[in-house]
Amino acid sequence: MLRKVPSVLVCVSRSIHTTPSVCGNRNFRKFPLYNKRGTRIYKQQRRENLPFCLPIYKYGVRDTGEVIDNVYHEIPEMIPELIVPDLKDCQLKPYVSYKTQEVFQSEFTSEDLFNAVYSKKIIEDFKNSALREDGTPVEPSPEELKTPEEAFIEARKTGSDIF
């Protein structure tokens, strides 16, 4: 026995429905737009006619002064002051995540510094016979011409490798 099933066309769509009670208006009370609603002219008229009815929302920022006779006076004691301690001799280390891989590095010694800066020039001078009998170079580089005081001052300048 065969049964006939009527074909039904279903159209599913979504849209914003406005009921006749709101007449197409949206409820803006659930969107707090502090200091944003209204034009500049409207705000100016409200401030002139009803200055106490139009509050200005300050987003949690405190004033650093007072209004006395419609003049704003800055009070230095109300300005926040950041006191940062000197951490020059602090024994604490900066935070490093436990997920980082451990790095093993030997201490950078004066011998390593000598090999990194001067050894290449000395080897080249020795191969080219550009050394005197006492071991000083015939054509010294700018680093070799510096006195210990000049080298110390240059090492402490901003932008040097120490910092």
Side-chain angles (χ1 to χ4, degrees):
M1 177 175 199
L2 295 171
R3 288 176 38 193
K4 283 190 166 183
V5 178
S7 62
V8 178
L9 180 62
V10 178
C11 180
V12 178
S13 66
R14 295 183 64 144
S15 63
I16 298 174
H17 296 285
T18 58
T19 59
S21 62
V22 293
C23 299
N25 295 330
R26 301 287 181 262
N27 183 10
F28 281 102
R29 289 185 184 150
K30 61 183 174 182
F31 305 113
L33 302 172
Y34 303 110
N35 304 333
K36 301 295 181 199
R37 299 287 305 275
T39 62
R40 288 184 184 171
I41 298 169
Y42 170 75
K43 290 178 187 177
Q44 186 177 7
Q45 289 172 351
R46 288 285 301 238
R47 281 191 204 104
E48 290 171 358
N49 297 335
L50 303 168
F52 54 88
C53 289
L54 190 64
I56 296 175
Y57 189 72
K58 297 182 181 181
Y59 301 100
V61 178
R62 295 181 183 172
D63 286 336
T64 58
E66 289 182 332
V67 177
I68 301 171
D69 297 329
N70 291 333
V71 177
Y72 185 78
H73 296 283
E74 190 91 11
I75 300 173
E77 289 82 13
M78 293 179 74
I79 299 173
E81 181 181 348
L82 298 177
I83 300 172
V84 181
D86 182 21
L87 300 175
K88 185 177 180 182
D89 298 326
C90 182
Q91 298 297 320
L92 298 175
K93 303 293 180 194
Y95 172 76
V96 177
S97 174
Y98 287 104
K99 294 179 182 179
T100 58
Q101 296 178 355
E102 195 167 343
V103 177
F104 294 101
Q105 184 176 0
S106 62
E107 186 177 340
F108 195 72
T109 62
S110 59
E111 184 178 350
D112 297 331
L113 179 64
F114 179 82
N115 291 335
V117 177
Y118 298 110
S119 65
K120 193 181 293 183
K121 170 85 167 63
I122 292 172
I123 291 171
E124 288 177 11
D125 286 347
F126 182 76
K127 286 181 181 177
N128 298 333
S129 300
L131 294 174
R132 296 189 183 112
E133 292 179 4
D134 60 346
T136 58
V138 176
E139 298 173 8
S141 66
E143 288 84 14
E144 293 172 324
L145 292 174
K146 290 181 187 171
T147 63
E149 292 81 19
E150 290 174 349
F152 181 81
I153 291 170
E154 184 135 346
R156 299 300 186 270
K157 282 186 182 176
T158 306
S160 66
D161 292 336
I162 276 184
F163 298 108

